[in-house]
Amino acid sequence: MTDPFVLSAGRTQLIFGLEWHALIEATPAKAGRRLARQRRATHMALTGSAAASVGLAFLGGARRRATELHSAAQAVASMFPQGTYTLMLEVAAGVYWLVGVHEGAVIARTDVLHRDTALVRTLITELTMAYPHLVELGTPNAPSAPTLSDIESAVSSKTLLLKVGSARSFGIGFCLVFGLLLSALYGPFNTRHTTESDRAVRDGQFAPGFTSLHPSTAAPGVRVHGEAGLDGLLHVFYSLPVQADDWVLQHAACLDVAQSWQCTAHYHRAAHSASNAAFLRAMPSSWRVDFPSLETAHVHWSTQAFTAALHADMLAHKSDNDRLLFTRLQAISKAFQRIDIGISTPVVEQIREGGPQYQRRSLHIDGPLRSFSFLPPYAAGMAWTKAELRHQPIDRADARNSRFVFSLSGALYETTKPNFAADEYASKPEFVAAPL
């Protein structure tokens, strides 16, 4: 289902299926209003005490004029102000609702409706990858799953949707520390809206700026992945099985080879009941599997790398990167363990004399896999040579730590001639919401 669902439970109208974004500004109410206006939402809601997220509704007709709609997801979040939980609930005949909450805030890309319970189960598994301590309500040794009546009882003025035009009255004066934790896995949870970059990956094409490349101004032999290419690469890792019949993922890596990703993943046998035969049944038939020992399994596969020839129109000038792009990266750096950017060096593969000139900076980024969903909007001039995912045991996840640590190595390209980038970066929001 793609539209919000309104259920009249007693005297309360509950709305399911909002579009949720994580917020990382110190003033989330202001950031939420700005995002609501940018996306032309009709209504909005804010959640969180130690972290924050904003829910957006796009309502038409009589619902657009509604003044007494309450967010069901926000009500569940208020019931669980601490910890990380997910809830699957049948809200109508054959209609199942999935919501995730973390520290009293709704997790981005949850609050979704489906008729396929198997798909909901898949989404819960993917959520667990981003939130190792996630607990499914109603399962053994977990708190009881709230019913619709419980959710109705939890509504208050804080769960009330506000019209975007009247959202000025929404004042929340708390500071964000872990807002970035709410960046759920991007791509698998997108059930309502599709951005240009998402369409580009799906169709095997490129977002605007990658399609109109002219041979006279493109650098021969140099290609970048940009936003669409990074989207595609992240999806490779988001789709990777974390556990397959008691075999647990330990390490995975992809190398850029001739415009394709050559990938390997290592699994460890975690239980005596695990078998090679069961592991083979769980893996895609196109993947090659080796068993170096009785306790280890290695899988190998390749997939297309979405790239485009280096072109001056997609790049920023060095001064624009220094002033604007790096300011944006500083804003999201709290979600990463490391963002290392090298000094500018000339690109050997230059255009004919008098044409656009290019420079390259080395680029290396480490952090939780979930945090990389913040990066694609700023990846226009980026190219990657290696991506690596490592599993590590941790006591507690936070903004910079997760049991799945992701690393990207590559380069940032820039032009020595002034370009559109100043206007392009200036148009980016000063906070970052996880891309849809």
Side-chain angles (χ1 to χ4, degrees), residues 343-355:
I343 62 174
S344 297
T345 58
V347 175
V348 176
E349 307 89 338
Q350 294 284 7
I351 306 302
R352 67 182 188 278
E353 185 175 355

Side-chain angles (χ1 to χ4, degrees), residues 124 172 216 277 281:
I124 292 174
I172 298 181
S216 62
R281 288 194 298 269

Side-chain angles (χ1 to χ4, degrees), residues 34-49:
R34 182 161 63 244
L35 180 62
R37 289 193 295 268
Q38 288 174 351
R39 294 195 60 79
R40 298 182 181 179
T42 57
H43 295 73
M44 62 174 283
L46 287 172
T47 64
S49 55

